[in-house]
Amino acid sequence: MQLRFKPHTLELHYAFGVASNTRTSTPAMLVEVEHDGLIGYGEASMPPYLGESQASAAAFLQQVDLGRFPDPLRLDEILPALDALAPGNTAAKAAVDIALHDWVGKRRGAPWHRLWGLDPARTPVTSFTLGIDTPPVMQQKAREASAYPILKIKLGRDNDRELIAAIREVTDKPLYIDANQGWKNREDALRMCEWLAPRGVVLIEQPMSKEQDVDTAWLRERSPLPLIADESVQRLADVSRAVGVFDGINIKLMKCTGLHEAHRMIGRARELGLKVMLGCMTETSCAISAAAQLSPLVDWADLDGALLIKNDPFVGVTIVDGRLTLSDRPGIGVVKR
Ligand code: MG
């Protein structure tokens, strides 16, 4: 089996602001695996604040020797070996994981949602994310998002109430809030949750720092809104840490090394009584369509990454009236544009 990769910089429609930074592009790496006349596609998306880069991904991928595995269908053997090659590199690992899943699904002639035995009619509505901006620009973005029934709003700077009030002037859609660890103390965070609850907010993602489990557990006891872990839970081994601290977890392929581990994280979360959201970075339709294969299993989806970029090389999962709509294309369900 051959592995190829090439850098691709994702150009964003809008500068994307979160609590800690703003950016206009996202570095990515496109990966292909080829064997027996079939090509599997994968992708690493690497927002700089997470520590990976096109250079680190290339260095990792150069170490990957898929030829040493005799059976490419044995993902349960290949993917743990890949994970053990080096610590970190979760997005680069996800790129190979996604490409191998795509190849295996194509070889077996079915999309992964069917290989997992999932009902494609059970996909959730995805939220559409508005990055932090000035109130008039946020209003404009909210108007332009008319096709999406749920909006996700990034908060965590010093004018959260002003932004929500501005958005509420132009839409009454349900809102997911992502504070990206931006709220600094639990009393202020509780006041925000209580202020947001009657304003049509459904959930709060990562209100406080991942170092503040005790404060977050305190907040969860009192918050009228469910709290979802993002930065606090990255991999399978972290899932149990959310019990008693959060109500659910946000799983992203780029932080958990791909579909193989994401599928197991969903199972673990359910055993522990946690809700599950599937999230993403700014990504092409490649990684988004891969994640969407799992979406019939989750409570909430935030799989809008491909909608935020101008140069998507793939066609994959579509969004119809906000709902993720899976196709019968095999593998992760993408074709090149
Ligand atoms: Mg988040």
Side-chain angles (χ1 to χ4, degrees):
M1 177 165 278
Q2 280 193 339
L3 175 73
R4 296 186 288 270
F5 54 91
K6 75 164 192 246
H8 181 70
T9 298
L10 309 176
E11 305 294 340
L12 310 185
H13 287 296
Y14 272 110
F16 192 73
V18 301
S20 59
N21 67 85
T22 297
R23 65 181 195 274
T24 57
S25 67
T26 304
M29 188 72 88
L30 302 181
V31 168
E32 294 181 5
V33 296
E34 181 165 6
H35 186 62
D36 272 358
L38 292 173
I39 297 177
Y41 297 113
E43 170 191 12
S45 169
M46 298 167 288
Y49 64 94
L50 294 176
E52 290 183 74
S53 64
Q54 289 168 337
S56 70
F60 177 81
L61 293 166
Q62 266 152 13
Q63 295 177 60
V64 176
D65 175 15
L66 295 176
R68 73 188 171 95
F69 300 101
D71 183 354
L73 295 173
R74 289 288 308 279
L75 296 181
D76 59 341
E77 179 183 32
I78 300 170
L79 294 170
L82 185 79
D83 190 22
L85 267 183
N89 290 285
T90 55
K93 291 170 182 173
V96 183
D97 168 284
I98 294 166
L100 285 170
H101 277 83
D102 195 33
W103 188 91
V104 168
K106 284 170 172 165
R107 168 52 70 87
R108 295 172 67 177
W112 271 93
H113 65 85
R114 194 172 327 133
L115 295 174
W116 279 316
L118 308 180
D119 178 357
R122 293 181 63 101
T123 56
V125 168
T126 180
S127 54
F128 181 84
T129 303
L130 310 188
I132 298 179
D133 216 310
T134 61
V137 174
M138 301 273 300
Q139 288 181 324
Q140 179 62 21
K141 289 181 182 179
R143 285 192 200 97
E144 287 174 14
S146 61
Y148 306 102
I150 302 171
L151 300 178
K152 177 164 150 178
I153 312 295
K154 296 283 193 178
L155 293 181
R157 292 188 185 169
D158 54 11
N159 62 340
D160 290 349
R161 284 181 174 80
E162 182 190 3
L163 292 181
I164 294 299
I167 287 163
R168 278 290 173 247
E169 286 174 17
V170 298
T171 177
D172 58 2
K173 288 174 184 172
L175 303 179
Y176 300 165
I177 298 297
D178 189 353
N180 283 112
Q181 314 184 78
W183 297 342
K184 299 305 175 201
N185 76 70
R186 62 193 197 180
E187 287 81 12
D188 287 347
L190 178 58
R191 275 191 286 277
M192 272 307 295
C193 291
E194 289 171 340
W195 187 83
L196 290 166
R199 288 172 172 79
V201 170
V202 177
L203 58 84
I204 310 279
E205 207 178 302
Q206 198 72 38
M208 286 183 285
S209 162
K210 62 184 177 184
E211 315 297 334
Q212 287 175 278
D213 278 359
V214 171
D215 289 332
T216 306
W218 179 94
L219 178 64
R220 176 176 169 266
E221 295 266 300
R222 295 159 179 81
S223 169
L225 294 169
L227 307 183
I228 310 303
D230 183 0
E231 288 86 342
S232 288
V233 171
Q234 302 199 359
R235 300 207 49 184
L236 180 62
D238 306 322
V239 176
S240 60
R241 180 184 155 186
V243 175
V245 181
F246 293 92
D247 299 287
I249 62 170
N250 184 351
I251 298 173
K252 296 176 178 172
L253 299 187
M254 295 302 143
K255 60 178 187 172
C256 79
T257 72
L259 289 167
H260 181 72
E261 185 152 324
H263 189 231
R264 294 166 71 202
M265 288 175 78
I266 294 171
R268 183 77 182 120
R270 294 310 190 192
E271 285 167 12
L272 295 168
L274 293 165
K275 299 273 195 183
V276 179
M277 171 183 257
L278 259 180
C280 62
M281 312 297 175
T282 41
E283 295 168 2
T284 78
S285 288
C286 177
I288 295 296
S289 300
Q293 301 294 321
L294 286 166
S295 68
L297 287 171
V298 307
D299 302 291
W300 305 294
D302 178 38
L303 293 178
D304 63 344
L307 304 169
L308 306 178
I309 65 172
K310 292 191 257 188
N311 54 343
D312 187 347
F314 297 97
V315 176
V317 65
T318 51
I319 295 172
V320 179
D321 297 333
R323 187 167 298 278
L324 295 159
T325 306
L326 295 162
S327 74
D328 270 335
R329 280 194 289 259
I332 60 169
V334 296
V335 290
K336 276 248 172 98
R337 239 175 237 284

PDB file of all heavy atoms in Angstrom, residues 63-75:
ATOM      1  N   GLN A  63       7.417   8.779   8.322  1.00  0.00           N
ATOM      2  CA  GLN A  63       7.771   7.577   9.108  1.00  0.00           C
ATOM      3  C   GLN A  63       6.807   6.416   8.894  1.00  0.00           C
ATOM      4  O   GLN A  63       7.056   5.321   9.373  1.00  0.00           O
ATOM      5  CB  GLN A  63       7.712   7.896  10.605  1.00  0.00           C
ATOM      6  CG  GLN A  63       8.697   8.905  11.111  1.00  0.00           C
ATOM      7  CD  GLN A  63       8.413   9.125  12.601  1.00  0.00           C
ATOM      8  OE1 GLN A  63       8.470   8.203  13.405  1.00  0.00           O
ATOM      9  NE2 GLN A  63       8.075  10.354  12.945  1.00  0.00           N
ATOM     10  N   VAL A  64       5.660   6.705   8.270  1.00  0.00           N
ATOM     11  CA  VAL A  64       4.616   5.680   8.169  1.00  0.00           C
ATOM     12  C   VAL A  64       4.937   4.732   7.021  1.00  0.00           C
ATOM     13  O   VAL A  64       5.114   5.172   5.884  1.00  0.00           O
ATOM     14  CB  VAL A  64       3.230   6.348   7.930  1.00  0.00           C
ATOM     15  CG1 VAL A  64       2.154   5.289   7.715  1.00  0.00           C
ATOM     16  CG2 VAL A  64       2.873   7.256   9.101  1.00  0.00           C
ATOM     17  N   ASP A  65       5.019   3.447   7.330  1.00  0.00           N
ATOM     18  CA  ASP A  65       5.292   2.432   6.309  1.00  0.00           C
ATOM     19  C   ASP A  65       4.141   1.436   6.294  1.00  0.00           C
ATOM     20  O   ASP A  65       4.136   0.444   7.030  1.00  0.00           O
ATOM     21  CB  ASP A  65       6.620   1.730   6.631  1.00  0.00           C
ATOM     22  CG  ASP A  65       6.891   0.573   5.662  1.00  0.00           C
ATOM     23  OD1 ASP A  65       6.213   0.509   4.607  1.00  0.00           O
ATOM     24  OD2 ASP A  65       7.755  -0.256   5.976  1.00  0.00           O
ATOM     25  N   LEU A  66       3.149   1.732   5.453  1.00  0.00           N
ATOM     26  CA  LEU A  66       1.973   0.855   5.423  1.00  0.00           C
ATOM     27  C   LEU A  66       2.281  -0.482   4.761  1.00  0.00           C
ATOM     28  O   LEU A  66       1.541  -1.449   4.925  1.00  0.00           O
ATOM     29  CB  LEU A  66       0.811   1.558   4.695  1.00  0.00           C
ATOM     30  CG  LEU A  66       0.272   2.808   5.395  1.00  0.00           C
ATOM     31  CD1 LEU A  66      -0.795   3.475   4.536  1.00  0.00           C
ATOM     32  CD2 LEU A  66      -0.299   2.479   6.772  1.00  0.00           C
ATOM     33  N   GLY A  67       3.395  -0.521   4.006  1.00  0.00           N
ATOM     34  CA  GLY A  67       3.762  -1.757   3.320  1.00  0.00           C
ATOM     35  C   GLY A  67       4.097  -2.908   4.263  1.00  0.00           C
ATOM     36  O   GLY A  67       4.066  -4.071   3.876  1.00  0.00           O
ATOM     37  N   ARG A  68       4.367  -2.571   5.545  1.00  0.00           N
ATOM     38  CA  ARG A  68       4.747  -3.648   6.466  1.00  0.00           C
ATOM     39  C   ARG A  68       3.546  -4.397   7.027  1.00  0.00           C
ATOM     40  O   ARG A  68       3.700  -5.375   7.749  1.00  0.00           O
ATOM     41  CB  ARG A  68       5.645  -3.117   7.583  1.00  0.00           C
ATOM     42  CG  ARG A  68       4.970  -2.283   8.635  1.00  0.00           C
ATOM     43  CD  ARG A  68       6.032  -1.662   9.553  1.00  0.00           C
ATOM     44  NE  ARG A  68       5.493  -0.684  10.450  1.00  0.00           N
ATOM     45  CZ  ARG A  68       5.116  -0.938  11.707  1.00  0.00           C
ATOM     46  NH1 ARG A  68       5.197  -2.148  12.204  1.00  0.00           N
ATOM     47  NH2 ARG A  68       4.661   0.038  12.460  1.00  0.00           N
ATOM     48  N   PHE A  69       2.343  -3.924   6.700  1.00  0.00           N
ATOM     49  CA  PHE A  69       1.147  -4.639   7.168  1.00  0.00           C
ATOM     50  C   PHE A  69       0.609  -5.502   6.025  1.00  0.00           C
ATOM     51  O   PHE A  69       0.236  -4.972   4.980  1.00  0.00           O
ATOM     52  CB  PHE A  69       0.079  -3.654   7.629  1.00  0.00           C
ATOM     53  CG  PHE A  69       0.548  -2.770   8.754  1.00  0.00           C
ATOM     54  CD1 PHE A  69       0.957  -1.467   8.497  1.00  0.00           C
ATOM     55  CD2 PHE A  69       0.615  -3.257  10.047  1.00  0.00           C
ATOM     56  CE1 PHE A  69       1.411  -0.659   9.522  1.00  0.00           C
ATOM     57  CE2 PHE A  69       1.069  -2.451  11.077  1.00  0.00           C
ATOM     58  CZ  PHE A  69       1.474  -1.148  10.823  1.00  0.00           C
ATOM     59  N   PRO A  70       0.567  -6.813   6.191  1.00  0.00           N
ATOM     60  CA  PRO A  70       0.189  -7.673   5.082  1.00  0.00           C
ATOM     61  C   PRO A  70      -1.267  -7.516   4.647  1.00  0.00           C
ATOM     62  O   PRO A  70      -1.586  -7.695   3.478  1.00  0.00           O
ATOM     63  CB  PRO A  70       0.455  -9.095   5.605  1.00  0.00           C
ATOM     64  CG  PRO A  70       0.567  -8.971   7.093  1.00  0.00           C
ATOM     65  CD  PRO A  70       0.984  -7.569   7.390  1.00  0.00           C
ATOM     66  N   ASP A  71      -2.164  -7.154   5.586  1.00  0.00           N
ATOM     67  CA  ASP A  71      -3.585  -7.094   5.223  1.00  0.00           C
ATOM     68  C   ASP A  71      -4.137  -5.700   5.506  1.00  0.00           C
ATOM     69  O   ASP A  71      -4.363  -5.340   6.663  1.00  0.00           O
ATOM     70  CB  ASP A  71      -4.362  -8.144   6.037  1.00  0.00           C
ATOM     71  CG  ASP A  71      -5.835  -8.180   5.659  1.00  0.00           C
ATOM     72  OD1 ASP A  71      -6.278  -7.317   4.855  1.00  0.00           O
ATOM     73  OD2 ASP A  71      -6.538  -9.072   6.157  1.00  0.00           O
ATOM     74  N   PRO A  72      -4.390  -4.889   4.458  1.00  0.00           N
ATOM     75  CA  PRO A  72      -4.871  -3.513   4.687  1.00  0.00           C
ATOM     76  C   PRO A  72      -6.274  -3.456   5.281  1.00  0.00           C
ATOM     77  O   PRO A  72      -6.706  -2.388   5.720  1.00  0.00           O
ATOM     78  CB  PRO A  72      -4.853  -2.894   3.284  1.00  0.00           C
ATOM     79  CG  PRO A  72      -4.795  -4.023   2.323  1.00  0.00           C
ATOM     80  CD  PRO A  72      -4.193  -5.199   3.034  1.00  0.00           C
ATOM     81  N   LEU A  73      -6.989  -4.568   5.314  1.00  0.00           N
ATOM     82  CA  LEU A  73      -8.312  -4.552   5.959  1.00  0.00           C
ATOM     83  C   LEU A  73      -8.216  -4.602   7.490  1.00  0.00           C
ATOM     84  O   LEU A  73      -9.194  -4.352   8.177  1.00  0.00           O
ATOM     85  CB  LEU A  73      -9.153  -5.752   5.482  1.00  0.00           C
ATOM     86  CG  LEU A  73      -9.536  -5.748   3.997  1.00  0.00           C
ATOM     87  CD1 LEU A  73     -10.224  -7.063   3.620  1.00  0.00           C
ATOM     88  CD2 LEU A  73     -10.442  -4.575   3.668  1.00  0.00           C
ATOM     89  N   ARG A  74      -7.019  -4.906   8.015  1.00  0.00           N
ATOM     90  CA  ARG A  74      -6.868  -5.091   9.461  1.00  0.00           C
ATOM     91  C   ARG A  74      -6.604  -3.757  10.167  1.00  0.00           C
ATOM     92  O   ARG A  74      -5.530  -3.515  10.711  1.00  0.00           O
ATOM     93  CB  ARG A  74      -5.726  -6.071   9.741  1.00  0.00           C
ATOM     94  CG  ARG A  74      -6.041  -7.527   9.379  1.00  0.00           C
ATOM     95  CD  ARG A  74      -7.029  -8.147  10.363  1.00  0.00           C
ATOM     96  NE  ARG A  74      -6.601  -7.984  11.748  1.00  0.00           N
ATOM     97  CZ  ARG A  74      -5.697  -8.764  12.352  1.00  0.00           C
ATOM     98  NH1 ARG A  74      -5.144  -9.751  11.704  1.00  0.00           N
ATOM     99  NH2 ARG A  74      -5.380  -8.545  13.601  1.00  0.00           N
ATOM    100  N   LEU A  75      -7.612  -2.896  10.165  1.00  0.00           N
ATOM    101  CA  LEU A  75      -7.442  -1.580  10.781  1.00  0.00           C
ATOM    102  C   LEU A  75      -7.142  -1.676  12.274  1.00  0.00           C
ATOM    103  O   LEU A  75      -6.434  -0.841  12.827  1.00  0.00           O
ATOM    104  CB  LEU A  75      -8.692  -0.727  10.555  1.00  0.00           C
ATOM    105  CG  LEU A  75      -9.007  -0.391   9.094  1.00  0.00           C
ATOM    106  CD1 LEU A  75     -10.245   0.482   9.010  1.00  0.00           C
ATOM    107  CD2 LEU A  75      -7.822   0.295   8.439  1.00  0.00           C
TER     108      LEU A  75
END
